Amino acid sequence: MVFMIRIAQFSTPENGGIFGKAGDQLMDPAKAGDRTFWGEVDIIDWSDSWTVIYRPVRRDVAASIAYTMEAAARNPMVGYSQGTARLSFGQALAEAGGDAALIDTPCNSDCSAGIAGAIRNAGIMVNANMTTRTEDRELMQTGEFIKIETRNVLGEPDYYLKGDILWRSGHTGVCIDDGSEAYGPWMQITGNCHRRIGPAVTYRSIGILKPADKVRIMRGFSGLWVMLDKDGTIAWTSDKFLDEVGAGAVLVTGFTVWIREKPDKESKPMQLAYKGQVFVFTGKAAKDTRGVTWYQVQADDGDGWISSKYSEVKE
């Protein structure tokens, strides 16, 4: 079964040997599609073999790691040959100004050292010679990753996020797509609470959430702690300070409704909204030429407008 998320990984070449040569990871056109197969840096479909996710706390870091790994997979100068080239992947990245697409000399890394290069390129200092055995310690001591071992999340590709670092015994890779159900509803914070890098008070706090703050919930987690996104930062907090439909939220009451670029039914549609969804209300409202009120909300691709005929503001 093919899933709609992809994994980039440094891996052995098709012949099964450790050593390869620059260029032998190029995509086989006969296998087609938007994937790089059977090379030294692959793009593969998700599988259920991963046992841990290390999720970057900062979404900009996650995006950088994902871009670097995908660019490496598409660059024939990047390989898995452990020492047969002058440069490691991390060194070649530095010489190319941090863009894996611009590497123009053969370079090599194994699965974990390759990911270490991508992480260091995103500004997080881990050991350049990180191995799968030391990966947990290396990543978690930075305070920049959340460790996920929840089986219902690991088993559902729809819950993965771009930039997630995936681990199983002896191997590691990076998710380069967002799962379709990774993000849940918008919620409002009802009391002062910490954002933490783990689901317990013993984990380090990375900031305080305050009443009326708006957060986006990550799907797949349940219990007394939930994972959330606040302004591009992922963290855990207690569920006792969350209200799904709080003040400053717009609840969709119509079954299927367009969020549009402007407060007018003829304006370009941006995103479909469905009954029961909640969006952050920016506080702006406007009337169209027919006298219908529209509310401005935070959509996935920026602020948009939804008609009051099919939504309501929850005070």
Side-chain angles (χ1 to χ4, degrees):
M1 184 176 183
V2 176
F3 295 94
M4 295 305 292
I5 65 171
R6 301 163 299 154
I7 309 301
Q9 60 178 13
F10 285 72
S11 60
T12 54
E14 185 176 11
N15 62 18
I18 287 293
F19 299 108
K21 61 183 179 180
D24 68 0
Q25 70 273 34
L26 285 173
M27 181 172 67
D28 180 352
K31 294 177 180 176
D34 186 35
R35 290 165 170 79
T36 303
F37 291 90
W38 304 116
E40 295 179 286
V41 189
D42 298 327
I43 296 175
I44 61 171
D45 292 320
W46 176 89
S47 76
D48 61 1
S49 64
W50 307 105
T51 57
V52 181
I53 295 172
Y54 297 98
R55 177 162 292 171
V57 168
R58 291 179 284 158
R59 300 310 301 148
D60 57 341
V61 167
S64 173
I65 293 170
Y67 170 81
T68 297
M69 289 296 292
E70 182 162 9
R74 301 189 181 284
N75 187 334
M77 291 294 104
V78 182
Y80 180 109
S81 30
Q82 295 189 340
T84 61
R86 178 175 66 88
L87 298 176
S88 71
F89 174 56
Q91 291 169 330
L93 262 177
E95 287 198 358
D99 190 341
L102 301 181
I103 294 174
D104 59 4
T105 188
C107 63
N108 308 281
S109 281
D110 61 15
C111 62
S112 49
I115 287 177
I119 294 171
R120 289 166 64 90
N121 193 49
I124 298 174
M125 289 300 103
V126 295
N127 191 327
N129 297 314
M130 181 179 75
T131 70
T132 54
R133 290 186 177 183
T134 65
E135 190 167 351
D136 182 86
R137 182 181 73 249
E138 290 283 349
L139 299 186
M140 295 311 294
Q141 71 183 6
T142 67
E144 293 282 354
F145 295 89
I146 289 174
K147 185 176 181 179
I148 301 170
E149 299 178 276
T150 313
R151 287 307 310 171
N152 67 323
V153 175
L154 288 165
E156 293 291 341
D158 286 346
Y159 295 156
Y160 284 53
L161 284 178
K162 179 186 295 185
D164 281 352
I165 296 173
L166 314 182
W167 183 94
R168 66 172 182 260
S169 181
H171 191 50
T172 186
V174 171
C175 181
I176 56 175
D177 298 302
D178 282 332
S180 61
E181 296 294 325
Y183 281 99
W186 287 93
M187 286 188 159
Q188 177 176 265
I189 300 299
T190 60
N192 291 314
C193 55
H194 286 273
R195 291 185 290 163
R196 299 185 181 276
I197 63 169
V201 295
T202 53
Y203 286 93
R204 182 173 69 89
S205 172
I206 59 173
I208 301 292
L209 294 168
K210 299 179 180 180
D213 279 350
K214 305 300 187 303
V215 296
R216 192 84 180 270
I217 298 302
M218 304 283 101
R219 292 197 187 276
F221 300 93
S222 60
L224 300 178
W225 291 78
V226 294
M227 189 179 290
L228 53 82
D229 183 337
K230 173 70 169 70
D231 298 332
T233 302
I234 305 294
W236 293 87
T237 197
S238 169
D239 68 347
K240 67 181 180 180
F241 295 115
L242 292 172
D243 183 2
E244 186 165 356
V245 184
V250 171
L251 173 68
V252 180
T253 56
F255 283 100
T256 304
V257 185
W258 280 113
I259 297 174
R260 299 182 181 274
E261 285 189 348
K262 297 179 181 179
D264 187 286
K265 70 173 185 176
E266 303 301 327
S267 178
K268 182 180 178 180
M270 293 176 57
Q271 176 182 334
L272 273 175
Y274 302 95
K275 187 174 183 178
Q277 279 190 288
V278 178
F279 293 87
V280 172
F281 179 38
T282 67
K284 295 181 180 179
K287 288 188 177 182
D288 61 19
T289 56
R290 298 170 298 137
V292 175
T293 297
W294 293 69
Y295 305 126
Q296 189 183 62
V297 297
Q298 293 180 5
D300 290 345
D301 295 323
D303 292 345
W305 296 83
I306 188 168
S307 171
S308 61
K309 294 175 65 176
Y310 310 106
S311 64
E312 61 183 44
V313 175
K314 307 301 292 186
E315 299 296 345

